Structures are given as C-alpha cells and as structure tokens.
Amino acid sequence: MPGATDQTLRPFLWRAERLYPETELVSRGHDGLTRYTYTEYADRVKQLASALRATGVTAGDRVATLCWNHHRHFELYFAVTSMGAQLHTINPLLPTDHISHIIDDAGDRVVFVDPSLLETVTEAVQTTETDTITQFVTMGDASNASSLDPIEEYDSYLDAHDPAFEWPALAESTPAGMCYTSGTTGKPKGVEYTHQMLWSHTMTTQSPQGIPIDDTDVVLPVVPMFHVNAWGMPFSATAGGAKQVFPGPAPEPAELASLIENEAVTIAAGVPTVWLGLQEYMTHTAVDLSALERVVIGGSAAPESMIDWFDGHGVEVLHAWGMTEMAPIGTVSHTKAGLEDANATAKRAKQGLAVPGLEFRVVDDTGEEVPWDGEQFGELWVRGPWVTTEYFANERATADTFEDGWLKTGDVVTVDEDGYLEIVDRIKDVIKSGGEWISSVELENAIMGHDGVEEATVVGVADDRWQERPIAFVVAVASTPHDELTAELEASLKEQFPKWWVPDAFEYIDAVPKTATGKFAKRVLRAEYDSTDAFDASHSEEAIPEE
Amino acid sequence: MPGATDQTLRPFLWRAERLYPETELVSRGHDGLTRYTYTEYADRVKQLASALRATGVTAGDRVATLCWNHHRHFELYFAVTSMGAQLHTINPLLPTDHISHIIDDAGDRVVFVDPSLLETVTEAVQTTETDTITQFVTMGDASNASSLDPIEEYDSYLDAHDPAFEWPALAESTPAGMCYTSGTTGKPKGVEYTHQMLWSHTMTTQSPQGIPIDDTDVVLPVVPMFHVNAWGMPFSATAGGAKQVFPGPAPEPAELASLIENEAVTIAAGVPTVWLGLQEYMTHTAVDLSALERVVIGGSAAPESMIDWFDGHGVEVLHAWGMTEMAPIGTVSHTKAGLEDANATAKRAKQGLAVPGLEFRVVDDTGEEVPWDGEQFGELWVRGPWVTTEYFANERATADTFEDGWLKTGDVVTVDEDGYLEIVDRIKDVIKSGGEWISSVELENAIMGHDGVEEATVVGVADDRWQERPIAFVVAVASTPHDELTAELEASLKEQFPKWWVPDAFEYIDAVPKTATGKFAKRVLRAEYDSTDAFDASHSEEAIPEE
C-alpha cells in the first residue's frame, strides 16, 4: 500500500524553530510584555512536554485550559498535541455548570488556568461528578487558590523538569484538539480534532483564498484561543514563520491599538465587537494603522460599514465564516477576479467563498439542492477533511446533525451566481409556510430599520393551514401609537418582500427576551404565544437557557 | 474514533466548476487554440470517466498516458483519479526499452497517446512481456496506427459515452497517480501517489512560501505533464480557480512568447533550458512580459544570471527543487523577510526553503546531522505527507532508499544559517577522502571557469590511504599546453578550496562521455581509470546507460 508520512502538527513547529529561530513571539501580561524567539519557544515547549509526562500525562489524555491569549497558552498548543495528548480549550465565559459538565464529559486530567479564572474553575470543579483531574497549574500566583489541589505555578512547573524531550511518532488519526460548542439547544457538545484535521485546516487557510500568513506577517489573534484555537491562526502563523503577538486577558481598544502600532501588526483577527471598539477609540485618539494590511472578521457578520471603514484606512477585511465543528473556517469573502466594482463591499459582507477542499450543498425541505441565484435558500451542508463527522460521546446529537458524512450546519443560506454564500437564518428560526421558507432574520432587519421600532424579532408559530406563519414581536419607541406603526410596517414589508412573508400579527412587547449570551430567545416567545390567545407582553426575568 | 471526510482530488474540481464556471482553459494544438470553460471541462471529465468505465476500467486499474501538455491530457488528470483509477503518466522521451519495462511493470490497462508518439508506443508494446492493455486511445487521427489494436480516437471515444457520471466515494489511501523515476542506476522505478499525497502536495504548494495560485492567475505549465504532473500545477491551479494555458507539443520560444502575451500569463513553469530559449528569442524579438509576475524554475539549478534577467523584466523567479519521489516539490527559494539585500540573488539561486509540512535532515557518513553553516555538507533526507516511503514492487530499491520513513534523496547539500538548502553534488559522485567529503560539482565548476578549459568532470577513484581521491578529466581548449594548464588549475584550486580538495591528477581527454540525457557519465571514466595505469583519452561511442 503506497503511502507517506502522517500529517501531524510537529513539522510546523520544526519549520519555525529551524527556519525562523530569531523571529519573535510577544505576549501581553499584567506586568507588561514578554518577548522571546521561536528558539526559546521550542525549548519551552519541549520542557512543558517533559513536565506533563512527569505528571503522568500519556497518549490520549486530555489537558484542559481556561486561559486567555498569551505565550504560555501557545506553549500548550504544541506541547500537548505533539506529545500525543489532546488540548482541550474551555471557554471560561460559559456558565459554571456548563464548565463542570464539559470537564466531566471530557474527563480532563490536567487543568491549566489563568489567575483571574481561578474562582470560576474552583466553583466548576466542586460540582463535577467524576474526579479525573490529577493536577492544576495556574499561569500566575497560586496562593489564592488553596482549594484546588494539587496546584503548581506554571513557570516553576516548567523549570522543575527536563529540558530535553523526544517527540514520539504519531499517527495522523491521533486526537490533538477538543472544543465544545455551546450550540443551539441542551448542554455543550464536544468536537475532537485529529492531527490530520488540524493539518488540513492549517493548509487550506494558508491557501491564497484562505487567510495566508508568511514570514512577512505579524499576527495578532484577538479572537480568544479558546474559540476553536483562535480560528487556527497560531498554527498557520507557525507554519508560515510569522511573528505572533498575543494580546493577553481582556485587551481594551487602547491596548490593542498600542500593540498594532508598536509591534507593526500586519494581520489581526476578531469578532465585529472588537473592531467596533477600535473604531470608537479612533474617533478621539489617533492610531497608526499603516502596518496593518488585513483584518479577519468572524464570529458574527461584519457590517458593510465596517468593511468600508477599514477600506478607508487601507486595510483589507477578510470576512470569514466557520463553526466549531469545522475547526472552524469554511468560507472567506475574498473579492473574486473581475468583481472589483461597486458591488464589492456588498459581496464581501456575505460569508464568502468556500476554501479549497471544502464541499457544500444547500438543500430544501425535500433534500433537493436549491439553485445558486442569491434568492432561494436552504440549509447548508458541508464536508471536508477538517469537518468533523461526529460529536464526542453523543450518539443522539451525532445522529441529528450528520448525514452521509455531511455536517448539517443548521444555517440557512443563499448562494449567489458568483458562489458567495450568505447566511440568512438559523434552521430552527426559519419559518416554513406553505412549503416555502421565510427568513426571520430578513424580516427582523427590515422591521428594525423602521424609525418607530427599537427592537424586534419574528418567530414562526403553528398554523393549521400553512404549517407555520410569521408573527412579529416589536418593541416600539415610547411615543409611537401601535396601530399606526403596524400599518406602516405592513405597507413597508409588502414593498420589500413577497406578500406571504408579511407577519400575520404584530405584537408589542416591553423587551425582546434574551439568552445569557444576548441572542433573541425566540423559543420563549413562540411557546408563550402558542399557549395563550391573549399574549402577555411582559415575561419572566429568570435565566433563559441558550437556544 | 474522531475523523472527517477523506482527502481526495474531486473537491478541487468541484470548486473550479461551481465557483469559476466561466474561467477558461486554453490548449495549443496543431490546428490552433482550443478554448473552453471549467463548466465544459467538468462535463467532458464526467464523459471521459463514463467512457473509461465502459472500457472496463475499474478501481485500482492503471491508465497510461504518453502525451504532451494539452486539454485532453488535463481531462485525464481528474477523470482517471476521481473515478478511483490511477493516472500513469509516462515520459515519451525515455528509451523505448524503458517504456516497455514501465508498461509491463505497471500493468497498464488503457494507453492514451499523442499522434506524434504513436510510433514510440507501437515499438514499445511490441517488446512488452505481458499483455495487460485492452484499449489504445489516440489524441488525434488513428489511421496511421494500424498495429495498435483496438484503437479509438479520443473525441469520438468521449462522444460515444454517457455524459452523466456519479463520482464514487474514495478513500484517501486510493492510489491516484504514478510516475517512474529514471533515477541513477538500473531500470526506472515506479512511484505511486495516493489521493492524500496529491492533496497534501497541492495544499503545501498553495501556501504563501510555496507556489500559491488563485483566480487572478493565468497558469502556463511548460514543464511536461508527464514530469510529476507538471510539478502539480494543474491540481493547484484548479483548486485556486485559475485560468490554465497548455502549450501543446514541443512549443518553440516564439509560441511560448505568443501564449504569454496573448493569454496574459501571470505564472509559468519550466526547466532552465526553456527560459534560455525565451531569453535568446528576446534578443531579437520584443515580447511583452508585462502580465507575467512569476516564473517557476526547476528540474536543474537556475543560474543567477537568469534570476537577474527575469528581475530586470519585473518577473519574480521561484526557484524550486523536488523529486519524483516527493510529488515533486520540496523547497522553493523565496526571499525571506529581512534578506531583501544585495545577497538576495545568490540566496535565490540556492534550492531554497522547505515548504510547510516537510521535514529534512542533512547527515554525514556516520548518520550525524551536519550543522547549518552553508559549508559542511551531507546527504539530504526528507519526509512529509507527500513524500513516498517506497518504490512500486521493488523491495530492493525500497530498502536502499528509505529508512525509518525518511527518503534518502541521494543529493548532497549544504544548509546555510538562514535555512536555504543548496545541492552541491550527488551522493554517488561526492568524493570521500580521509573521512571528509569533497564536492565533485564544485571542483568541476571551478575548473570549467578557467579560460583554457572547454569542459571538465571530476571523479573519485579508489585510494589505499585516503579511501578515495579526486581526479579531474579535462577537455582543454585546442591551443593550450596541458602542463601549463595543470599548473594554473592547481594554483587556482588551492586558492579556492582546502588543499586536500585539489585533484591528484589532471587527465586530458577529447570529450566528456555523456549519458542519453546529456549528463556526465562519471561511472565510465571511473571504471576506465581504475582499470588502466595508462589512461586512454578516447572512449567508445556506444550508448552509455543512465547513471
């Protein structure tokens, strides 16, 4: 059987260490910047692997992190994976009971935790059902954390162990990473990444229509390293031999601006909120963005105005879309050759073009593919060498989400004639009326565009004749008479959409109920509407679970 | 066991077909240019797969080609591989008995052949020992080829079959390609490429420090498509959605110039000889190279003067090195950040920097790694996901060439402080003297730089005390007295090299014996010198086998 060497992450580290020994890694901490080279990095990674082995970590064990973006976290990225163990990055912003569930579910052996997150971890491990953790390591002073036991301080932990370490030969099927998706319903679900999946993801993002990074780049991942490996950038930056800048815990716009200026960052990545912060900051403080060439925006849709703003500063926006289940990149919104015209911003505000190696289909209720006309929509299914085909130890969720190797993303999308994919809704929110689909998100955006509306959401409610019909829940501006507003909204929506998209009713409420992470809690409204003819405009303030 | 979809070539075709349906493929033939789109290409690829299936080709069968660079050859690239069969590209320039051996060894089922190569194939199949071929297909008029049976003409063959074809799901371990290396000794040896290997190669060449190609590119592979899949460019160009231009059989400089100008080629690839032809052509005919951005040069070393010449025309040279055994790219000589100074050309004339995912080591006689100082040299060993770990059905050659997953390349190299690899010799030609290695190539270049020398080669001959000692064989310019020349050469070499590098003898010969492909036949000289005290300056004109 012909073959070749397995696809593992270690050669990326080898390349940076040998070809770019003097290139810097910079990390922001409470006490200023730490700065060292790939040579020192590779040495510390080896010593960390020695320490983990001395702690009893062996192939297949999971090592958890609850950490922000810093060099120690990055040291774990290559040490844990290349020794054959599995790096399990946990989102510290999740509710504590979710963190407990995640630690239980994964059976983590060692937990690395930032000092500012010691309390969260202490609380979380008090309610875990199992007791798999044999070591805690804190990224700073451990004196405040007496109840976590045994606990060591990271740098002492490293220093106490052998600086030499022989990397084992690993099969590419070895699990290397793990991330939980907070998903749409129920408890977080685990996604495992093998070496091969992370290798594939690194390589496809390195292609010209991905997010290519080379040794001329200085990379600043603002996206947390617990969000699907900071979208994979620390791996691709290492493969490309780039300087890397880690912004530390909770960087403020002023701190990001300072890093961008002083370290001559060429490419940064983060969610739209981060860049809104920078935009706002720059209304009163000058920031030199001349080194900055590209900004990767993902997590949620980048507004056109943000793309234009960066254009105005000579910075190219790479609008990207992905999911935890796909490690995470699926599309990047590059401007295709020949489309560099007035529509370019509108195109780039879409989720973009599939990166090489990915395949997708957009299917309607009957499983038929919908045409690529930018109008008709269906659920997006994807597959590829970095797209998982299962959830960890969760047969029911696996059966619900995967089919014939395809991941059913739950996103409802259109694809235009040029192949640009645009998310128009979530499958659970799309309204199925008379065999056709209505996008709740498009209706919401149209309604919220009206002057008399403060906030609004649209949900599908059961209907005997049409299966479902849209109902709008509107928070009106205080002074607006509701009857007039309803008439105006109906007239306006009729102009913009097919008649049958117009909601059957406009209900006025005091506020749109939201989940813990700020998303519209549509399920609550739908349930309340279905259970009562006289809809109650107020609703309980108790915690609403994530949908 | 976590996992994802297998790495196969088909998604690259899917991407070009769906995202770049109108992008063109252009092919030069005897009757002018053929021009169609990826849409038509994908349709023809499906129909070709139907035809092959109707011919009885099934998973695991090998389909041979003896073809130049044209659209029909490229149709075979995706049809054969994506249906689960194996594309076996044969070099038609090999001696006929080698082609016979290759067809026998591979057990090819169908042979596709260009009209100009019908005679070669007819002759080759007359001496094959086995009879596995069930169908010949000629890329043009078949009327001249009565002895090949059964034979069909390509376009009729396609048209006769179902345009619909359902691609099968393939494992990434499925063999997709095959190429024979003429190697150094003995008969050609087969190298098989799995889908995973070709996927990996495509992806690493698409990285920024490889040979990245996107939809703004127009790609002209002058390197033959039988030379390791034209260095993989047709695959990466498809993944990137580029326009592709195929130059047809034996393109002259004028024809290449015309394609570059008229099709606005942005990136072209070929051996130095091709570009010498273009340089020479441009001494008397103006060619507009304004669209051309990059030229990939490989196969043999690119002279510094050629790199400078292209620089002068605003074209970046990507000097690349590889081997059949590595599908083929291993290094590309990009200028590293910070090295854009006066030395840049000298650096770029080296074989370059390892692409991401590759690992290499340079080892001396004792298996120890030599330091990266640009001076000390050893044999280059490589490994990676696109580097084979065996020869096809050849246990002896496999045992000789591979060790612990490493490919022992047979190339003797230095690596400098910046990680640039430079080939200084072949392991069989390097002279092992007193435990140290002497580069025969460096001595040859120094000797040939002397005014009185027309041509020269240096070989190691057995020595009781030192194991081997260098002997120079010199073709002197007619009027030069040999004694004087020897004295001058000795003096000059002593200045440039350690004293023990200077050859023990300078033998004057009429011509350097050469192999069929024009390489110095050092083995002949070594054998003749060893067997006679009085060296015979003449030598037989009979065919000398490849070393």
Side-chain angles (χ1 to χ4, degrees):
Chain A
M1 178 72 92
T5 307
D6 282 42
Q7 295 168 343
T8 63
L9 296 172
R10 200 199 54 249
F12 299 146
L13 174 59
W14 176 86
R15 188 173 191 274
E17 181 188 0
R18 299 306 307 262
L19 296 191
Y20 298 98
E22 300 300 324
T23 296
E24 282 184 328
L25 304 170
V26 180
S27 182
R28 176 183 155 266
H30 291 294
D31 46 355
L33 298 181
T34 300
R35 189 181 293 276
Y36 60 47
T37 65
Y38 273 119
T39 299
E40 294 165 83
Y41 173 74
D43 287 344
R44 283 174 63 93
V45 166
K46 282 198 199 85
Q47 197 159 16
L48 174 55
S50 284
L52 286 165
R53 181 167 290 170
T55 300
V57 172
T58 56
D61 281 343
R62 295 199 179 90
V63 174
T65 65
L66 288 104
C67 299
W68 302 100
N69 294 14
H70 48 63
H71 65 291
R72 296 184 181 95
H73 202 178
F74 182 50
E75 286 162 8
L76 285 155
Y77 267 48
F78 273 101
V80 174
T81 55
S82 294
M83 74 181 291
Q86 197 171 355
L87 181 73
H88 174 204
T89 52
I90 300 179
N91 180 349
L93 303 177
L94 290 175
T96 312
D97 62 322
H98 281 196
I99 296 177
S100 298
H101 161 71
I102 287 172
I103 291 173
D104 265 336
D105 196 52
D108 296 314
R109 290 266 300 191
V110 181
V111 176
F112 287 80
V113 54
D114 274 7
S116 63
L117 298 165
L118 277 168
E119 205 176 316
T120 302
V121 173
T122 306
E123 200 183 320
V125 298
Q126 275 163 2
T127 58
T128 53
E129 290 169 15
T130 56
D131 185 19
T132 54
I133 302 170
T134 60
Q135 179 73 56
F136 294 90
V137 181
T138 172
M139 299 316 206
D141 185 5
S143 56
N144 295 329
S146 51
S147 81
L148 293 178
D149 184 56
I151 189 159
E152 290 205 54
E153 188 279 323
Y154 184 89
D155 286 333
S156 325
Y157 179 64
L158 235 70
D159 291 344
H161 292 97
D162 191 348
F165 189 85
E166 280 293 315
W167 298 115
L170 298 177
E172 62 200 11
S173 59
T174 307
M178 187 177 210
C179 237
Y180 278 72
T181 170
S182 52
T184 51
T185 49
K187 289 193 171 167
K189 300 184 288 285
V191 176
E192 293 188 281
Y193 310 117
T194 63
H195 275 270
Q196 181 175 24
M197 289 167 70
L198 295 181
W199 197 95
S200 301
H201 183 268
T202 302
M203 286 301 194
T204 195
T205 54
Q206 280 289 69
S207 70
Q209 292 180 317
I211 305 164
I213 293 170
D214 71 13
D215 64 344
T216 63
D217 280 310
V218 179
V219 180
L220 175 71
V222 187
V223 50
M225 291 171 75
F226 52 77
H227 274 168
V228 205
N229 305 316
W231 304 342
M233 291 185 86
F235 293 123
S236 54
T238 307
K243 172 177 168 183
Q244 302 188 48
V245 180
F246 299 98
E252 293 294 321
E255 289 152 345
L256 290 178
S258 153
L259 288 173
I260 291 169
E261 280 187 338
N262 297 334
E263 304 300 331
V265 168
T266 64
I267 177 167
V271 296
T273 314
V274 164
W275 309 119
L276 282 174
L278 183 67
Q279 277 180 257
E280 201 282 322
Y281 179 75
M282 287 176 66
T283 59
H284 54 77
T285 309
V287 180
D288 177 8
L289 296 184
S290 59
L292 193 63
E293 296 164 5
R294 295 175 292 166
V295 163
V296 185
I297 304 182
S300 57
E304 281 190 45
S305 57
M306 185 175 285
I307 296 173
D308 285 335
W309 184 86
F310 274 115
D311 274 347
H313 287 81
V315 178
E316 184 189 13
V317 167
L318 297 179
H319 189 205
W321 167 85
M323 292 175 75
T324 303
E325 290 84 345
M326 50 202 304
I329 301 292
T331 62
V332 183
S333 207
H334 284 271
T335 302
K336 282 171 82 168
L339 294 181
E340 305 89 347
D341 63 2
N343 283 327
T345 307
K347 287 279 190 202
R348 287 161 62 201
K350 297 187 175 195
Q351 273 65 36
L353 302 170
V355 290
L358 192 78
E359 285 178 301
F360 71 80
R361 54 199 299 196
V362 179
V363 298
D364 64 18
D365 262 347
T366 67
E368 286 298 302
E369 285 199 55
V370 305
W372 289 18
D373 59 5
E375 298 285 339
Q376 298 184 62
F377 45 74
E379 188 184 15
L380 175 66
W381 293 19
V382 296
R383 68 179 178 196
W386 60 94
V387 181
T388 189
T389 52
E390 64 172 33
Y391 288 115
F392 173 69
N394 192 335
E395 285 181 25
R396 198 176 67 90
T398 296
D400 286 349
T401 311
F402 301 93
E403 191 171 320
D404 290 338
W406 293 95
L407 162 66
K408 299 190 275 189
T409 65
D411 281 325
V412 175
V413 306
T414 61
V415 187
D416 67 22
E417 298 78 1
D418 296 311
Y420 286 77
L421 191 149
E422 183 174 22
I423 296 177
V424 297
D425 213 337
R426 289 287 298 168
I427 190 82
K428 67 181 173 51
D429 296 329
V430 81
I431 298 153
K432 289 156 188 165
S433 177
E436 301 289 337
W437 287 7
I438 297 171
S439 163
S440 66
V441 173
E442 289 189 38
L443 285 175
E444 283 164 5
N445 289 342
I447 294 170
M448 287 195 283
H450 192 286
D451 281 344
V453 174
E454 220 167 59
E455 203 169 47
T457 186
V458 176
V459 305
V461 298
D463 183 279
D464 287 343
R465 180 165 176 203
W466 300 107
Q467 183 185 3
E468 283 188 338
R469 287 297 301 154
I471 306 293
F473 294 91
V474 179
V475 181
V477 171
S479 60
T480 320
H482 293 176
D483 285 358
E484 277 177 34
L485 186 53
T486 295
E488 285 172 26
L489 287 170
E490 281 178 342
S492 161
L493 295 178
K494 271 180 195 156
E495 276 177 26
Q496 298 175 61
F497 300 105
K499 209 174 72 181
W500 50 274
W501 278 46
V502 179
D504 281 3
F506 290 79
E507 299 289 345
Y508 290 88
I509 55 179
D510 302 333
V512 176
K514 301 209 178 66
T515 68
T517 61
K519 292 176 185 162
F520 289 169
K522 296 191 180 190
R523 203 152 45 92
V524 173
L525 288 169
R526 197 181 291 121
E528 289 183 13
Y529 190 89
D530 280 347
S531 65
T532 169
D533 285 344
F535 182 73
D536 178 7
S538 74
H539 54 265
S540 109
E541 287 291 317
E542 69 194 278
I544 295 166
E546 290 293 307
E547 300 208 347
Chain B
M1 180 71 92
T5 308
D6 282 41
Q7 294 168 344
T8 63
L9 296 171
R10 199 200 56 246
F12 299 146
L13 173 59
W14 177 85
R15 189 173 190 273
E17 181 187 3
R18 297 307 304 265
L19 296 191
Y20 299 98
E22 300 300 323
T23 296
E24 281 185 329
L25 303 170
V26 180
S27 181
R28 175 183 156 265
H30 291 296
D31 45 356
L33 298 181
T34 299
R35 190 181 292 276
Y36 61 48
T37 64
Y38 273 120
T39 299
E40 293 164 84
Y41 173 74
D43 287 345
R44 283 173 63 93
V45 166
K46 281 198 198 85
Q47 196 159 17
L48 174 55
S50 283
L52 287 164
R53 180 166 290 171
T55 300
V57 172
T58 57
D61 281 344
R62 296 201 178 88
V63 174
T65 65
L66 288 104
C67 299
W68 302 101
N69 294 14
H70 48 63
H71 65 291
R72 295 183 180 96
H73 202 177
F74 182 50
E75 286 162 7
L76 284 156
Y77 267 48
F78 273 101
V80 174
T81 55
S82 293
M83 74 182 293
Q86 196 170 356
L87 181 74
H88 174 204
T89 52
I90 300 179
N91 180 349
L93 303 176
L94 290 175
T96 311
D97 62 324
H98 281 195
I99 297 176
S100 299
H101 161 72
I102 287 172
I103 291 172
D104 265 336
D105 196 52
D108 295 314
R109 290 266 302 191
V110 181
V111 176
F112 287 79
V113 54
D114 273 8
S116 62
L117 298 165
L118 277 167
E119 205 174 315
T120 302
V121 172
T122 306
E123 200 181 320
V125 298
Q126 276 163 2
T127 57
T128 54
E129 290 169 15
T130 56
D131 186 19
T132 54
I133 302 171
T134 59
Q135 180 72 57
F136 294 91
V137 181
T138 171
M139 299 318 206
D141 185 5
S143 56
N144 295 329
S146 52
S147 82
L148 293 178
D149 184 57
I151 189 160
E152 292 205 53
E153 188 277 325
Y154 184 89
D155 287 332
S156 327
Y157 179 65
L158 235 69
D159 291 345
H161 292 95
D162 192 347
F165 189 85
E166 280 293 316
W167 298 115
L170 297 177
E172 61 201 11
S173 58
T174 306
M178 187 176 209
C179 234
Y180 278 71
T181 170
S182 50
T184 51
T185 48
K187 289 193 172 168
K189 299 184 289 287
V191 176
E192 294 188 281
Y193 310 118
T194 64
H195 275 270
Q196 181 175 24
M197 289 167 70
L198 296 180
W199 196 95
S200 302
H201 184 268
T202 302
M203 285 300 192
T204 196
T205 55
Q206 280 289 68
S207 70
Q209 292 179 317
I211 305 163
I213 293 169
D214 70 14
D215 64 345
T216 63
D217 280 309
V218 179
V219 180
L220 174 72
V222 187
V223 50
M225 291 171 75
F226 52 76
H227 274 167
V228 204
N229 305 317
W231 303 343
M233 289 184 88
F235 293 124
S236 54
T238 306
K243 172 177 168 182
Q244 300 188 50
V245 180
F246 299 98
E252 292 294 321
E255 289 152 343
L256 290 178
S258 152
L259 287 173
I260 290 170
E261 280 187 338
N262 297 334
E263 303 300 332
V265 168
T266 64
I267 177 167
V271 295
T273 313
V274 165
W275 308 120
L276 282 174
L278 182 68
Q279 278 181 254
E280 201 282 321
Y281 178 75
M282 286 176 66
T283 60
H284 54 77
T285 308
V287 180
D288 176 8
L289 297 183
S290 59
L292 193 63
E293 296 164 6
R294 295 176 291 166
V295 163
V296 185
I297 305 183
S300 57
E304 282 189 45
S305 57
M306 184 173 285
I307 296 173
D308 286 334
W309 185 85
F310 274 115
D311 273 347
H313 286 82
V315 178
E316 183 190 14
V317 167
L318 297 179
H319 189 205
W321 167 84
M323 292 175 74
T324 303
E325 290 85 344
M326 49 201 305
I329 301 293
T331 61
V332 183
S333 208
H334 285 270
T335 302
K336 281 171 82 168
L339 293 181
E340 306 89 347
D341 63 3
N343 284 325
T345 306
K347 287 279 188 199
R348 286 161 62 202
K350 298 189 175 194
Q351 273 66 33
L353 302 170
V355 291
L358 192 79
E359 284 178 301
F360 70 80
R361 53 199 300 195
V362 180
V363 297
D364 65 17
D365 262 347
T366 66
E368 286 297 302
E369 285 199 57
V370 305
W372 289 18
D373 60 5
E375 297 287 336
Q376 298 183 62
F377 46 75
E379 189 185 13
L380 176 65
W381 294 19
V382 295
R383 67 179 178 194
W386 59 95
V387 181
T388 189
T389 51
E390 64 173 34
Y391 288 116
F392 174 70
N394 193 334
E395 284 181 27
R396 199 176 65 89
T398 296
D400 286 349
T401 310
F402 301 92
E403 191 170 319
D404 290 338
W406 294 95
L407 162 66
K408 299 190 275 189
T409 65
D411 281 325
V412 175
V413 306
T414 61
V415 188
D416 67 22
E417 298 77 359
D418 298 311
Y420 286 77
L421 192 148
E422 182 172 24
I423 295 177
V424 297
D425 213 336
R426 290 287 298 169
I427 191 81
K428 65 180 175 51
D429 295 330
V430 82
I431 298 153
K432 288 157 189 164
S433 176
E436 301 289 337
W437 288 7
I438 297 171
S439 163
S440 66
V441 173
E442 288 188 36
L443 285 174
E444 283 164 5
N445 289 342
I447 294 169
M448 287 195 283
H450 192 284
D451 281 346
V453 175
E454 219 167 60
E455 202 168 47
T457 187
V458 176
V459 305
V461 299
D463 184 276
D464 288 342
R465 181 165 176 203
W466 300 108
Q467 183 184 1
E468 283 189 339
R469 287 297 302 153
I471 304 293
F473 295 91
V474 179
V475 182
V477 173
S479 60
T480 317
H482 292 177
D483 286 355
E484 276 177 35
L485 185 52
T486 296
E488 285 170 24
L489 286 171
E490 283 178 340
S492 162
L493 295 178
K494 269 180 197 158
E495 275 175 28
Q496 297 175 62
F497 299 104
K499 210 175 73 180
W500 50 275
W501 278 46
V502 178
D504 282 3
F506 291 79
E507 299 288 345
Y508 290 87
I509 54 179
D510 302 335
V512 177
K514 302 211 177 64
T515 68
T517 60
K519 291 175 186 161
F520 289 168
K522 296 189 181 192
R523 203 151 45 91
V524 173
L525 287 170
R526 197 182 291 120
E528 289 184 13
Y529 190 89
D530 280 347
S531 65
T532 169
D533 286 344
F535 181 73
D536 177 8
S538 76
H539 53 263
S540 107
E541 288 291 318
E542 67 194 278
I544 295 167
E546 290 294 308
E547 300 209 347

